[in-house]
Amino acid sequence: MKRTILGLILIAATYFGVDYIWNQKVVEWKTTAQSVVLLAKEAGTDLTRWNLAKVEADKLPSVFPFTSLKAIFPEVKSVFQTLDRLKNIQFTVEENALAIKDVEGFFEEVATLEVALKKIYRSIDSVPNFLLDSAQIAEKNDLLARLNFVQEQMQDFIKFKNIIHHFSQKNERILVLLQNQNEPRSTGGFAGSLILLDFDKGQIRWKFSDIYALDRKVKAVDQFPAPPFFHGLSKVISLRDANFWPNFPTTAEKYRHFFRSADEKVPGTVVAVNLNLVKEVLKITGPVDFPQWNMTLDENNFDLGLQFLVESKISGRYEVKKPVELFMTYI
Protein backbone atom coordinates (compact mmCIF):
# COMPACT_ATOMS: atom_id res chain seq x y z
CA MET A 1 0.00 0.00 0.00
CA LYS A 2 2.82 2.37 0.93
CA ARG A 3 4.50 1.80 -2.44
CA THR A 4 1.19 2.37 -4.23
CA ILE A 5 0.62 5.67 -2.45
CA LEU A 6 4.19 6.82 -3.25
CA GLY A 7 3.64 5.86 -6.90
CA LEU A 8 0.42 7.85 -7.09
CA ILE A 9 2.15 10.85 -5.49
CA LEU A 10 5.00 10.60 -8.04
CA ILE A 11 2.55 10.36 -10.95
CA ALA A 12 0.57 13.33 -9.64
CA ALA A 13 3.73 15.38 -9.09
CA THR A 14 4.95 14.56 -12.57
CA TYR A 15 1.60 15.42 -14.13
CA PHE A 16 1.20 18.72 -12.32
CA GLY A 17 4.91 19.53 -12.86
CA VAL A 18 4.66 18.95 -16.60
CA ASP A 19 1.37 20.85 -16.69
CA TYR A 20 3.06 23.80 -14.93
CA ILE A 21 6.07 23.72 -17.25
CA TRP A 22 4.01 23.37 -20.41
CA ASN A 23 1.18 25.77 -19.62
CA GLN A 24 3.18 28.41 -17.79
CA LYS A 25 6.95 28.17 -18.29
CA VAL A 26 6.88 27.15 -21.97
CA VAL A 27 4.50 30.01 -22.72
CA GLU A 28 6.85 32.34 -20.84
CA TRP A 29 9.91 30.98 -22.68
CA LYS A 30 8.14 31.24 -26.03
CA THR A 31 7.30 34.88 -25.33
CA THR A 32 10.92 35.53 -24.37
CA ALA A 33 12.16 33.76 -27.51
CA GLN A 34 9.92 35.90 -29.70
CA SER A 35 11.21 38.99 -27.90
CA VAL A 36 14.80 37.89 -28.60
CA VAL A 37 14.01 37.42 -32.30
CA LEU A 38 12.46 40.89 -32.47
CA LEU A 39 15.40 42.53 -30.67
CA ALA A 40 17.88 40.74 -32.93
CA LYS A 41 15.99 41.85 -36.02
CA GLU A 42 16.04 45.46 -34.88
CA ALA A 43 19.72 45.32 -33.84
CA GLY A 44 21.08 45.31 -37.38
CA THR A 45 24.76 46.34 -37.22
CA ASP A 46 24.47 47.88 -33.74
CA LEU A 47 26.51 45.74 -31.32
CA THR A 48 24.99 47.48 -28.28
CA ARG A 49 21.52 46.41 -29.32
CA TRP A 50 22.75 42.87 -29.97
CA ASN A 51 24.04 42.82 -26.40
CA LEU A 52 20.56 43.83 -25.18
CA ALA A 53 19.09 40.93 -27.17
CA LYS A 54 21.65 38.60 -25.57
CA VAL A 55 20.57 39.71 -22.09
CA GLU A 56 17.04 38.66 -23.00
CA ALA A 57 18.29 35.37 -24.51
CA ASP A 58 20.14 34.54 -21.28
CA LYS A 59 16.73 34.25 -19.58
CA LEU A 60 16.00 31.16 -21.66
CA PRO A 61 16.89 27.70 -20.30
CA SER A 62 19.97 25.95 -21.67
CA VAL A 63 17.98 23.12 -23.22
CA PHE A 64 16.98 22.42 -26.80
CA PRO A 65 15.41 24.17 -28.69
CA PHE A 66 16.38 27.36 -26.82
CA THR A 67 20.08 26.51 -27.06
CA SER A 68 19.79 27.02 -30.83
CA LEU A 69 18.64 30.58 -30.30
CA LYS A 70 21.26 31.29 -27.63
CA ALA A 71 24.06 29.85 -29.80
CA ILE A 72 23.63 32.68 -32.29
CA PHE A 73 25.03 35.37 -30.00
CA PRO A 74 28.63 34.14 -29.58
CA GLU A 75 28.87 33.90 -33.37
CA VAL A 76 27.40 37.39 -33.82
CA LYS A 77 30.07 38.66 -31.44
CA SER A 78 32.68 36.84 -33.54
CA VAL A 79 31.32 38.52 -36.69
CA PHE A 80 31.67 41.98 -35.14
CA GLN A 81 35.20 41.21 -33.92
CA THR A 82 36.23 39.93 -37.36
CA LEU A 83 34.75 42.98 -39.08
CA ASP A 84 36.73 45.22 -36.71
CA ARG A 85 39.92 43.37 -37.59
CA LEU A 86 39.13 43.64 -41.31
CA LYS A 87 38.62 47.39 -41.00
CA ASN A 88 41.94 47.75 -39.18
CA ILE A 89 44.06 45.66 -41.55
CA GLN A 90 46.98 47.72 -42.79
CA PHE A 91 48.05 47.00 -46.36
CA THR A 92 51.69 47.70 -47.12
CA VAL A 93 51.62 49.66 -50.39
CA GLU A 94 54.89 50.98 -51.78
CA GLU A 95 55.42 52.30 -55.30
CA ASN A 96 52.39 50.55 -56.82
CA ALA A 97 53.15 47.29 -55.02
CA LEU A 98 51.15 45.38 -52.41
CA ALA A 99 52.57 42.77 -50.03
CA ILE A 100 50.96 39.39 -50.73
CA LYS A 101 51.07 38.44 -47.01
CA ASP A 102 48.69 41.33 -46.31
CA VAL A 103 46.28 40.08 -48.96
CA GLU A 104 46.44 36.53 -47.58
CA GLY A 105 45.80 37.87 -44.06
CA PHE A 106 42.71 39.66 -45.36
CA PHE A 107 41.35 36.47 -46.93
CA GLU A 108 41.99 34.52 -43.72
CA GLU A 109 39.80 36.98 -41.82
CA VAL A 110 37.11 36.65 -44.50
CA ALA A 111 37.27 32.87 -44.08
CA THR A 112 36.77 33.31 -40.31
CA LEU A 113 33.74 35.49 -41.04
CA GLU A 114 32.32 32.87 -43.40
CA VAL A 115 32.63 30.15 -40.72
CA ALA A 116 30.79 32.32 -38.17
CA LEU A 117 27.98 33.02 -40.67
CA LYS A 118 27.69 29.30 -41.39
CA LYS A 119 27.23 28.59 -37.66
CA ILE A 120 24.64 31.37 -37.39
CA TYR A 121 22.77 29.84 -40.34
CA ARG A 122 22.70 26.40 -38.66
CA SER A 123 21.53 27.88 -35.36
CA ILE A 124 18.71 29.87 -36.97
CA ASP A 125 17.68 26.92 -39.12
CA SER A 126 17.39 24.69 -36.04
CA VAL A 127 15.06 27.10 -34.18
CA PRO A 128 11.70 25.24 -34.22
CA ASN A 129 8.87 27.04 -35.94
CA PHE A 130 6.52 26.37 -33.01
CA LEU A 131 8.38 29.07 -31.07
CA LEU A 132 7.53 31.63 -33.75
CA ASP A 133 4.37 33.09 -35.19
CA SER A 134 3.64 32.94 -38.92
CA ALA A 135 5.20 36.33 -39.66
CA GLN A 136 8.39 35.39 -37.80
CA ILE A 137 8.57 32.08 -39.65
CA ALA A 138 8.47 33.99 -42.94
CA GLU A 139 11.19 36.32 -41.66
CA LYS A 140 13.27 33.35 -40.56
CA ASN A 141 13.06 31.77 -44.02
CA ASP A 142 13.91 35.10 -45.67
CA LEU A 143 16.93 35.54 -43.37
CA LEU A 144 18.14 32.01 -44.11
CA ALA A 145 17.88 32.69 -47.84
CA ARG A 146 19.92 35.90 -47.49
CA LEU A 147 22.54 34.23 -45.31
CA ASN A 148 22.84 31.42 -47.83
CA PHE A 149 23.36 33.93 -50.65
CA VAL A 150 26.04 35.80 -48.67
CA GLN A 151 27.83 32.53 -47.84
CA GLU A 152 27.88 31.49 -51.50
CA GLN A 153 29.37 34.85 -52.51
CA MET A 154 31.96 34.68 -49.72
CA GLN A 155 32.99 31.15 -50.69
CA ASP A 156 33.63 32.34 -54.25
CA PHE A 157 35.53 35.34 -52.87
CA ILE A 158 37.70 33.16 -50.62
CA LYS A 159 38.78 31.12 -53.67
CA PHE A 160 40.78 34.18 -54.74
CA LYS A 161 43.26 33.39 -51.98
CA ASN A 162 44.26 30.16 -53.74
CA ILE A 163 44.31 31.96 -57.09
CA ILE A 164 46.61 34.69 -55.75
CA HIS A 165 48.88 32.06 -54.21
CA HIS A 166 49.02 30.23 -57.54
CA PHE A 167 49.77 33.44 -59.46
CA SER A 168 52.52 34.43 -57.03
CA GLN A 169 54.19 31.01 -57.30
CA LYS A 170 54.08 31.19 -61.09
CA ASN A 171 55.20 34.85 -61.31
CA GLU A 172 52.04 35.45 -63.32
CA ARG A 173 51.03 38.56 -65.23
CA ILE A 174 47.38 39.62 -65.59
CA LEU A 175 46.27 42.02 -68.31
CA VAL A 176 43.12 44.01 -67.51
CA LEU A 177 41.53 45.75 -70.51
CA LEU A 178 39.64 48.93 -69.60
CA GLN A 179 37.05 48.93 -72.37
CA ASN A 180 34.93 51.91 -73.38
CA GLN A 181 31.68 50.71 -74.91
CA ASN A 182 31.08 54.20 -76.31
CA GLU A 183 33.53 53.04 -79.01
CA PRO A 184 32.13 49.56 -79.71
CA ARG A 185 34.42 46.62 -80.32
CA SER A 186 33.69 42.91 -80.54
CA THR A 187 34.41 42.21 -76.86
CA GLY A 188 32.59 45.30 -75.57
CA GLY A 189 34.51 48.49 -76.34
CA PHE A 190 37.77 50.11 -77.35
CA ALA A 191 40.49 49.24 -74.82
CA GLY A 192 42.21 52.63 -74.66
CA SER A 193 43.87 51.88 -71.32
CA LEU A 194 45.32 48.81 -69.64
CA ILE A 195 46.25 47.69 -66.14
CA LEU A 196 49.08 45.19 -65.78
CA LEU A 197 49.26 43.12 -62.58
CA ASP A 198 52.53 41.32 -61.95
CA PHE A 199 52.86 38.68 -59.22
CA ASP A 200 55.99 37.37 -57.57
CA LYS A 201 56.50 35.48 -54.30
CA GLY A 202 56.29 38.59 -52.18
CA GLN A 203 54.34 41.32 -53.94
CA ILE A 204 51.61 42.24 -56.37
CA ARG A 205 52.72 45.09 -58.62
CA TRP A 206 50.44 47.07 -60.90
CA LYS A 207 51.05 49.47 -63.73
CA PHE A 208 48.63 51.62 -65.68
CA SER A 209 49.38 52.02 -69.38
CA ASP A 210 47.99 53.88 -72.37
CA ILE A 211 47.31 51.36 -75.14
CA TYR A 212 49.16 53.49 -77.68
CA ALA A 213 52.35 53.53 -75.58
CA LEU A 214 52.56 49.75 -75.95
CA ASP A 215 51.14 49.64 -79.47
CA ARG A 216 54.07 51.69 -80.76
CA LYS A 217 56.41 48.86 -79.73
CA VAL A 218 54.63 46.23 -81.88
CA LYS A 219 56.66 45.30 -84.95
CA ALA A 220 54.93 45.94 -88.27
CA VAL A 221 55.65 42.40 -89.42
CA ASP A 222 53.57 41.04 -86.51
CA GLN A 223 50.45 43.08 -87.34
CA PHE A 224 47.50 41.55 -89.20
CA PRO A 225 45.78 42.92 -92.32
CA ALA A 226 42.41 44.45 -91.41
CA PRO A 227 39.29 43.57 -93.44
CA PRO A 228 38.06 46.32 -95.82
CA PHE A 229 35.17 47.39 -93.56
CA PHE A 230 37.70 48.29 -90.85
CA HIS A 231 39.88 50.48 -93.07
CA GLY A 232 38.12 53.63 -91.88
CA LEU A 233 39.87 53.08 -88.53
CA SER A 234 42.98 51.20 -89.57
CA LYS A 235 44.28 49.01 -92.39
CA VAL A 236 46.04 46.73 -89.91
CA ILE A 237 45.06 45.03 -86.66
CA SER A 238 47.63 45.80 -83.99
CA LEU A 239 47.61 45.85 -80.19
CA ARG A 240 45.27 48.86 -80.04
CA ASP A 241 42.57 46.84 -81.84
CA ALA A 242 43.45 43.37 -80.56
CA ASN A 243 39.92 42.83 -79.18
CA PHE A 244 38.69 42.75 -82.79
CA TRP A 245 37.76 39.05 -82.52
CA PRO A 246 34.37 38.32 -80.86
CA ASN A 247 35.61 34.98 -79.46
CA PHE A 248 37.38 36.15 -76.31
CA PRO A 249 39.93 33.29 -76.10
CA THR A 250 40.99 34.25 -79.64
CA THR A 251 41.23 37.91 -78.64
CA ALA A 252 43.27 36.98 -75.51
CA GLU A 253 45.73 35.03 -77.66
CA LYS A 254 46.10 38.04 -80.00
CA TYR A 255 47.03 40.22 -77.03
CA ARG A 256 49.66 37.68 -76.04
CA HIS A 257 50.96 37.70 -79.62
CA PHE A 258 51.32 41.49 -79.65
CA PHE A 259 52.96 41.55 -76.21
CA ARG A 260 55.60 39.12 -77.49
CA SER A 261 56.14 41.36 -80.50
CA ALA A 262 56.55 44.39 -78.22
CA ASP A 263 59.14 42.50 -76.13
CA GLU A 264 56.86 42.74 -73.09
CA LYS A 265 56.20 40.05 -70.48
CA VAL A 266 53.33 37.99 -71.89
CA PRO A 267 50.16 37.90 -69.73
CA GLY A 268 48.89 34.46 -68.84
CA THR A 269 45.46 35.85 -67.96
CA VAL A 270 43.48 38.48 -69.87
CA VAL A 271 40.41 40.16 -68.37
CA ALA A 272 38.12 42.78 -69.94
CA VAL A 273 36.25 45.36 -67.84
CA ASN A 274 33.60 47.69 -69.27
CA LEU A 275 32.45 51.06 -67.97
CA ASN A 276 29.16 49.62 -66.71
CA LEU A 277 31.11 47.67 -64.07
CA VAL A 278 32.78 50.89 -62.94
CA LYS A 279 29.32 52.41 -62.54
CA GLU A 280 28.28 49.62 -60.18
CA VAL A 281 31.51 49.98 -58.17
CA LEU A 282 30.91 53.73 -57.74
CA LYS A 283 27.47 53.01 -56.31
CA ILE A 284 29.26 51.22 -53.48
CA THR A 285 32.40 53.31 -53.03
CA GLY A 286 30.83 56.73 -53.59
CA PRO A 287 32.02 59.65 -55.77
CA VAL A 288 35.64 60.42 -56.63
CA ASP A 289 36.89 63.98 -56.04
CA PHE A 290 39.41 65.73 -58.29
CA PRO A 291 40.11 68.92 -56.32
CA GLN A 292 42.91 69.87 -58.74
CA TRP A 293 40.30 70.19 -61.50
CA ASN A 294 37.37 71.16 -59.27
CA MET A 295 35.40 68.06 -60.35
CA THR A 296 33.53 65.27 -58.61
CA LEU A 297 32.74 62.12 -60.60
CA ASP A 298 30.00 59.71 -59.58
CA GLU A 299 28.10 56.86 -61.24
CA ASN A 300 26.06 59.31 -63.31
CA ASN A 301 28.77 61.57 -64.75
CA PHE A 302 32.11 59.70 -64.58
CA ASP A 303 31.97 58.63 -68.24
CA LEU A 304 31.42 62.14 -69.57
CA GLY A 305 33.81 63.63 -67.01
CA LEU A 306 36.68 61.31 -67.95
CA GLN A 307 36.08 61.92 -71.64
CA PHE A 308 36.37 65.66 -71.04
CA LEU A 309 39.56 65.34 -68.97
CA VAL A 310 41.22 63.03 -71.50
CA GLU A 311 40.16 64.84 -74.67
CA SER A 312 41.16 68.21 -73.24
CA LYS A 313 44.65 66.84 -72.47
CA ILE A 314 44.35 68.48 -69.08
CA SER A 315 47.40 66.55 -67.79
CA GLY A 316 49.53 67.46 -70.78
CA ARG A 317 50.13 65.85 -74.16
CA TYR A 318 52.44 63.19 -72.71
CA GLU A 319 50.09 62.14 -69.88
CA VAL A 320 46.74 62.28 -71.64
CA LYS A 321 45.37 59.23 -69.74
CA LYS A 322 46.59 60.43 -66.32
CA PRO A 323 43.02 61.33 -65.18
CA VAL A 324 41.92 57.74 -65.93
CA GLU A 325 44.85 56.35 -63.94
CA LEU A 326 44.05 58.60 -60.97
CA PHE A 327 40.37 57.69 -61.19
CA MET A 328 41.12 53.95 -61.11
CA THR A 329 43.46 54.50 -58.14
CA TYR A 330 40.85 56.42 -56.14
CA ILE A 331 38.04 53.90 -56.57
Side-chain angles (χ1 to χ4, degrees), residues 25 28-29 32 36 54-62 70:
K25 295 303 292 184
E28 177 186 327
W29 292 336
T32 301
V36 170
K54 181 181 183 304
V55 170
E56 192 72 9
D58 287 341
K59 298 176 182 178
L60 295 169
S62 295
K70 297 174 74 170

Side-chain angles (χ1 to χ4, degrees), residues 22-302:
W22 184 258
N23 291 312
Q24 296 188 47
K25 295 303 292 184
V26 168
V27 172
E28 177 186 327
W29 292 336
K30 182 177 179 179
T31 302
T32 301
Q34 290 176 341
S35 175
V36 170
V37 172
L38 180 61
L39 288 169
K41 177 187 174 184
E42 294 174 345
T45 58
D46 188 335
L47 181 57
T48 301
R49 300 184 73 175
W50 273 103
N51 289 333
L52 291 175
K54 181 181 183 304
V55 170
E56 192 72 9
D58 287 341
K59 298 176 182 178
L60 295 169
S62 295
V63 295
F64 183 82
F66 302 108
T67 47
S68 297
L69 194 58
K70 297 174 74 170
I72 295 171
F73 291 92
E75 299 308 324
V76 169
K77 183 179 180 180
S78 174
V79 167
F80 276 99
Q81 290 172 339
T82 304
L83 289 174
D84 282 338
R85 290 195 299 272
L86 282 170
K87 287 188 292 185
N88 293 320
I89 285 180
Q90 298 294 319
F91 290 97
T92 305
V93 181
E94 297 178 354
E95 298 180 355
N96 290 354
L98 178 65
I100 288 179
K101 62 180 179 63
D102 293 343
V103 179
E104 292 178 340
F106 174 82
F107 281 115
E108 286 173 3
E109 292 292 359
V110 173
T112 300
L113 185 62
E114 194 268 337
V115 169
L117 290 176
K118 188 179 296 184
K119 290 180 179 179
I120 290 173
Y121 181 96
R122 288 200 296 263
S123 294
I124 293 174
D125 189 39
S126 63
V127 173
N129 287 344
F130 77 80
L131 289 175
L132 312 172
D133 58 34
S134 58
Q136 289 171 330
I137 292 172
E139 290 177 356
K140 169 189 168 182
N141 292 334
D142 179 63
L143 179 57
L144 288 175
R146 283 185 286 169
L147 280 171
N148 187 58
F149 174 78
V150 171
Q151 287 181 78
E152 289 177 352
Q153 301 304 308
M154 291 184 71
Q155 287 168 8
D156 289 340
F157 186 67
I158 291 169
K159 291 176 184 177
F160 279 114
K161 178 183 177 182
N162 294 330
I163 293 173
I164 289 173
H165 179 75
H166 173 78
F167 283 166
S168 66
Q169 294 298 311
K170 299 293 184 180
N171 294 328
E172 180 66 277
R173 165 170 274 194
I174 299 177
L175 168 62
V176 182
L177 310 175
L178 304 180
Q179 298 185 145
N180 181 1
Q181 61 262 36
N182 295 321
E183 299 181 53
R185 292 292 189 275
S186 298
T187 62
F190 177 64
S193 303
L194 313 172
I195 295 177
L196 294 168
L197 301 174
D198 288 303
F199 293 75
D200 60 34
K201 294 182 179 180
Q203 291 182 318
I204 305 172
R205 297 185 177 276
W206 61 89
K207 179 173 66 175
F208 180 89
S209 179
D210 183 346
I211 189 69
Y212 293 103
L214 291 173
D215 186 62
R216 285 191 287 269
K217 298 180 180 181
V218 175
K219 301 175 182 65
V221 69
D222 292 322
Q223 297 173 345
F224 302 103
F229 73 84
F230 202 71
H231 286 183
L233 292 173
S234 176
K235 292 185 178 181
V236 296
I237 301 295
S238 188
L239 178 64
R240 62 183 179 273
D241 296 309
N243 59 347
F244 175 84
W245 290 267
N247 180 47
F248 197 79
T250 301
T251 279
E253 188 50 48
K254 298 304 180 185
Y255 275 104
R256 296 187 184 99
H257 165 79
F258 289 127
F259 266 71
R260 290 188 194 98
S261 178
D263 295 323
E264 287 279 334
K265 181 179 178 179
V266 178
T269 302
V270 181
V271 179
V273 176
N274 284 3
L275 291 178
N276 53 346
L277 175 61
V278 177
K279 181 176 183 177
E280 297 305 314
V281 171
L282 284 171
K283 289 179 181 179
I284 300 172
T285 62
V288 173
D289 292 321
F290 286 127
Q292 65 270 48
W293 299 311
N294 195 29
M295 291 184 68
T296 298
L297 303 183
D298 58 26
E299 72 269 20
N300 299 311
N301 69 355
F302 79 95

Side-chain angles (χ1 to χ4, degrees), residues 317-330:
R317 60 179 297 191
Y318 297 111
E319 290 192 309
V320 173
K321 296 292 182 66
K322 189 65 176 179
V324 179
E325 179 181 359
L326 291 174
F327 179 76
M328 295 303 296
T329 301
Y330 292 157

